[in-house]
Amino acid sequence: MTEEKIREVFPQLNPKLISELAAVSKISELEEGTEILREGQYIKVIPIVLKGLIKVFTRQEGKELLLYYIRPNESCIMSFSSGINNRPSRIYAVSEENTTALLIPTDKVPELSRQFPDINTLFFNQYNLRYTELLNTIQHLLFDRMDKRLHDYLLEKASLTNKNPLKISHREIANELGTAREVISRIMKKLEAEGKVRQHPGTIEII
């Protein structure tokens, strides 16, 4: 079953690598809201999302900042880097919805990399993807007004989860954007007046 699922998600991988991954890894079913990783934790497994969505964020002085989402066929490259170097995590990771993930033990990765160079290509592609996403996050923080950041965030959230309206509170949004709930509430009223969103009890609809 594990081998079949890996082949479905990564048909381009060497069949022998797929067999090895199936032999050393396990598939885990994570309920929505499951904490997968926290700051300071030593990483023993590297997750690859097969189905669902994982949120990766940082936290400083009680405030959170969303870094990126891990979608199907993707991995957390910060987990990969910390895991293979035996360094504590600097990020948090939580399942955004019910998620199926392949968990690869970090101590197996060096040998897999030596035997199967295409696994390196897989992770190098993830580095490029995350680097681009983090640059975009920095650009939004430095140059975009909060109303644009909020609207873009809602559009991305709806696209990633395939849900509209979104079941989310102003406080949750504030946490992910690294700001105060009062700021989000004020800007949400502005977006509603501009006809970009509709607010309902407990949900936000993107128009």
Side-chain angles (χ1 to χ4, degrees):
M1 181 65 74
T2 301
E3 191 167 335
E4 290 175 7
K5 286 192 176 182
I6 298 172
R7 189 177 294 108
E8 283 177 18
V9 176
F10 299 108
Q12 77 279 12
L13 290 182
N14 184 317
K16 290 184 178 180
L17 172 56
I18 292 175
S19 296
E20 286 294 323
L21 284 173
V24 302
S25 307
K26 71 174 184 176
I27 289 179
S28 181
E29 301 292 340
L30 307 168
E31 292 186 2
E32 178 182 345
T34 300
E35 184 182 71
I36 302 163
L37 189 62
R38 64 183 180 275
E39 185 178 11
Q41 177 182 345
Y42 280 87
I43 298 164
K44 301 302 181 185
V45 294
I46 299 167
I48 295 180
V49 174
L50 303 179
K51 179 183 177 184
L53 194 66
I54 292 175
K55 177 177 71 175
V56 177
F57 59 97
T58 185
R59 184 183 290 153
Q60 292 290 335
E61 298 179 354
K63 290 186 177 181
E64 295 178 4
L65 178 64
L66 175 67
L67 297 177
Y68 51 81
Y69 290 102
I70 309 174
R71 307 165 183 85
N73 304 10
E74 296 178 358
S75 182
C76 179
I77 204 61
M78 296 181 80
S79 298
F80 174 77
S81 177
S82 296
I84 62 174
N85 290 296
N86 196 32
R87 293 174 182 165
S89 168
R90 299 180 65 184
I91 52 97
Y92 295 83
V94 174
S95 53
E96 184 77 359
E97 56 189 44
N98 291 342
T99 296
T100 303
L102 178 72
L103 304 181
I104 307 173
T106 54
D107 60 355
K108 303 295 183 182
V109 173
E111 181 59 30
L112 288 172
S113 298
R114 284 191 290 271
Q115 290 186 51
F116 306 101
D118 43 347
I119 198 172
N120 296 321
T121 302
L122 174 68
F123 284 112
F124 285 146
N125 288 340
Q126 293 299 304
Y127 266 112
N128 183 58
L129 175 64
R130 299 304 168 213
Y131 180 71
T132 301
E133 288 184 338
L134 288 173
L135 283 181
N136 288 338
T137 296
I138 293 169
Q139 186 174 33
H140 286 315
L141 284 168
L142 292 177
F143 302 114
D144 288 344
R145 290 169 34 160
M146 182 54 79
D147 56 348
K148 183 178 187 309
R149 284 183 61 204
L150 176 55
H151 191 231
D152 287 349
Y153 163 85
L154 293 171
L155 289 171
E156 181 185 28
K157 191 93 165 178
S159 175
L160 287 170
T161 60
N162 199 30
K163 294 177 182 177
N164 189 20
L166 293 168
K167 188 177 181 181
I168 191 169
S169 69
H170 290 189
R171 184 172 297 281
E172 288 175 292
I173 296 171
N175 284 341
E176 296 203 357
L177 294 183
T179 188
R181 181 190 58 78
E182 294 78 9
V183 172
I184 295 301
S185 297
R186 174 172 52 81
I187 297 176
M188 197 67 74
K189 289 180 180 178
K190 178 176 182 290
L191 293 179
E192 192 167 30
E194 293 172 352
K196 294 179 178 179
V197 301
R198 288 194 191 99
Q199 299 191 79
H200 308 285
T203 64
I204 298 168
E205 180 183 1
I206 300 94
I207 302 170

